[in-house]
Amino acid sequence: MRIHWRVVGGIADYGVHKAVSSQVDWRVIREDFPILRQQVRGHDLIYFDSAASSQKPGPVIDALRNFYERDNANVHRGLHALSGRATEAYERARQRVADYIGAASPDEVIFTRGTTESINLVAQSWGGRFLREGDVILLTVMEHHSNLVPWQLLAERKGARLRFLPVLDDGTLDVDQLSNLLTPEVKLFAFTHISNSLGTINPVADLCAKARALGAVTLVDAAQSAGHMPVDLQKLGCDFLAFSGHKMCAPTGIGVLYGRAELLDSMPPWHGGGEMIVSVTLEKSTFKKPPHRFEGGTPNIAGAVGLAAAIDYIEGIGRLSIFEHDRQLAHYAADRLTELPRTRVFGPKGERGALVGFVMDAAHPHDLTTFADQYGLAMRGGHHCNQPLMRRFGVSGTTRASFYFYNTMEEIDQMMEILQRAVRFFS
Ligand SMILES: Cc1ncc(COP(=O)(O)O)c(C=O)c1O
């Protein structure tokens, strides 16, 4: 793996990340992303859609190619060299993920297809066994459909009830309402770390501590945070954590569910098949311990190898540096967007994640996003799988510009020129 930058080590305090970020040569890092070196419709590509899926650096692409060229075979079942190597790489990736998020053991790391599958696993396995009629699942109004629909399905099946922590006008959670909503009937509190439409960074550790005090299990949707900032389970204190590889430089089709060991041990399998059993008779089966109990069938071995390479790459830069870099981009974009006439910018004024959603009176988000594409600017327009949140703010959708460490301030200036052009075109 190529490392062209130097990062100060031992930074324990978020207060110093500016100094850290300024030591990274972001332009050199951008060169690691071959896809960014292209023109779209005659213009240099500006990729502002990383909240939907990130681009992949050379070292991750190389790791996938190396795996398929040298080590590819099925895992766990084989007694030959290639299978041994593939198994080792797959289990090494699990350890890499455990270290990345501060899990106590790799056995607490389950590979899934992504955040959506991770949350469905908890809903079906944990929810199926432990939720009772009349129990309450507490969510927030800012949840992605992935952290809403699985709970709706579960609540319907079990006769449980859903409650929602409201969102304030500034895009933050109305945490004052917790005293009314977080009652002893709440068995699970599931919420996002960073909102994929507002950029709000939620106070995960506080929310988890409050839930734990009442005996509620917590699940954190880290889809928008795992690749953008330090995510340390020992600090967050959640019971489950879900994220997707493809939003953090890894391939699609690989993701993670972290679960606290005691909880995973108590949960039944959710997918039956090969890999997850100890013994099978025609009538009955016994099952492996976690994590393999939850990984029926051939897993995404190359995906796990790619995820480990992505983690190496991200940690080579440093998550504090990435956080600070992305934060500067998001703040700059949010500020500059206010220059546009009759434009509403969503999300908190203070700390925010690497994205900004906005609506221009002059154009529907779909039209604006299609207009931008004519200039090689890739953004996303629509409800972003946040229909209830859009309704909360009285809009059908927004245009979202989302950033990652390969983006630059100059690209935001170019975005502004394109949007100024859109104002003239649509007015
Ligand atoms: C906050 C959040 N949760 C969950 C998801 C779902 O992720 P995936 O489609 O990778 O399962 C997304 C994807 O955009 C997201 O932004």
Side-chain angles (χ1 to χ4, degrees):
M1 180 191 156
R2 291 164 289 160
I3 299 196
H4 329 267
W5 54 86
R6 204 167 62 81
V7 177
V8 176
I11 303 296
D13 181 347
Y14 274 36
V16 293
H17 35 98
K18 213 165 225 144
V20 183
S21 167
S22 65
Q23 303 216 3
V24 179
D25 190 343
W26 298 105
R27 278 172 203 284
V28 177
I29 287 172
R30 184 181 164 91
E31 290 299 308
D32 279 339
F33 290 80
I35 202 168
L36 298 177
R37 283 179 235 135
Q38 67 174 290
Q39 293 218 317
V40 169
R41 306 188 199 286
H43 300 270
D44 287 344
L45 167 66
I46 302 175
Y47 188 76
F48 281 176
D49 198 18
S50 293
S53 199
S54 75
Q55 296 303 348
K56 322 300 173 200
V60 170
I61 299 168
D62 291 347
L64 293 173
R65 189 182 315 109
N66 287 340
F67 175 77
Y68 279 123
E69 285 182 358
R70 295 197 313 234
D71 301 328
N72 177 53
N74 211 332
V75 289
H76 298 138
R77 288 173 282 202
L79 294 174
H80 58 81
L82 261 55
S83 176
R85 270 191 250 149
T87 304
E88 214 174 281
Y90 183 67
E91 293 304 329
R92 216 181 311 119
R94 199 190 301 279
Q95 179 69 59
R96 192 73 190 87
V97 171
D99 293 343
Y100 184 71
I101 56 177
S105 154
D107 294 344
E108 296 181 317
V109 172
I110 299 162
F111 284 122
T112 63
R113 283 193 296 133
T115 309
T116 303
E117 189 171 81
S118 298
I119 295 172
N120 276 277
L121 192 169
V122 178
Q124 291 190 34
S125 173
W126 178 87
R129 172 156 291 176
F130 295 110
L131 210 70
R132 301 270 171 273
E133 194 175 341
D135 286 346
V136 172
I137 301 167
L138 179 60
L139 306 169
T140 85
V141 172
M142 66 168 71
E143 297 314 308
H144 188 281
H145 297 167
S146 296
N147 198 25
L148 173 57
V149 181
W151 307 118
Q152 291 175 345
L153 295 172
L154 177 67
E156 203 169 298
R157 185 152 64 91
K158 304 290 272 188
R161 291 171 292 151
L162 301 175
R163 266 184 209 160
F164 299 95
L165 188 59
V167 174
L168 296 167
D169 288 346
D170 69 356
T172 59
L173 288 175
D174 189 356
V175 286
D176 290 347
Q177 296 289 326
L178 264 187
S179 47
N180 305 324
L181 295 171
L182 192 55
T183 57
E185 304 91 76
V186 175
K187 293 294 174 286
L188 177 93
F189 183 17
F191 56 92
T192 192
H193 192 171
I194 298 184
S195 160
N196 60 300
S197 286
L198 303 170
T200 317
I201 305 177
N202 288 322
V204 174
D206 282 356
L207 296 176
C208 288
K210 288 202 166 69
R212 197 173 335 113
L214 278 182
V217 166
T218 49
L219 180 146
V220 174
D221 173 350
Q224 296 296 341
S225 60
H228 288 268
M229 64 187 291
V231 170
D232 180 353
L233 290 164
Q234 305 310 318
K235 291 203 173 91
L236 299 182
C238 57
D239 295 304
F240 295 108
L241 182 97
F243 58 96
S244 304
H246 71 97
K247 294 184 197 288
M248 47 179 287
C249 297
T252 46
I254 186 75
V256 168
L257 173 68
Y258 156 83
R260 211 155 44 74
E262 306 90 275
L263 282 171
L264 291 183
D265 281 340
S266 69
M267 286 161 50
W270 76 311
H271 285 163
E275 304 271 1
M276 45 78 75
I277 53 84
V278 174
S279 80
V280 177
T281 65
L282 284 177
E283 287 77 25
K284 209 170 159 41
S285 305
T286 56
F287 306 111
K288 285 185 178 160
K289 288 185 185 315
H292 299 107
R293 183 189 300 166
F294 302 105
E295 292 182 4
T298 300
N300 185 350
I301 309 159
V305 168
L307 178 57
I311 289 176
D312 285 345
Y313 186 84
I314 286 171
E315 292 216 308
I317 303 171
R319 280 179 277 177
L320 284 178
S321 300
I322 291 172
F323 180 62
E324 174 57 19
H325 177 269
D326 293 356
R327 198 184 68 88
Q328 285 175 10
L329 291 178
H331 277 276
Y332 182 59
D335 274 358
R336 290 228 48 204
L337 283 166
T338 60
E339 294 167 16
L340 297 172
R342 296 186 305 286
T343 299
R344 187 172 167 198
V345 179
F346 295 85
K349 293 258 180 300
E351 205 79 320
R352 65 153 71 220
L355 59 95
V356 54
F358 60 99
V359 170
M360 269 172 38
D361 276 2
H364 187 278
H366 285 164
D367 296 333
L368 183 61
T369 310
T370 307
F371 180 91
D373 180 55
Q374 302 310 304
Y375 296 91
L377 169 58
M379 298 189 292
R380 190 152 290 250
H383 56 65
H384 316 295
C385 299
N386 268 147
Q387 284 186 6
L389 183 67
M390 295 296 134
R391 231 166 268 131
R392 151 71 181 85
F393 282 99
V395 293
S396 61
T398 65
T399 299
R400 181 182 72 187
S402 59
F403 315 109
Y404 211 3
F405 54 80
Y406 39 69
N407 292 125
T408 65
M409 296 284 188
E410 292 74 35
E411 287 181 312
I412 292 173
D413 290 337
Q414 286 158 18
M415 171 185 84
M416 287 305 298
E417 281 172 27
I418 294 165
L419 294 177
Q420 298 281 12
R421 224 175 272 185
V423 170
R424 291 192 292 276
F425 180 84
F426 288 108
S427 298

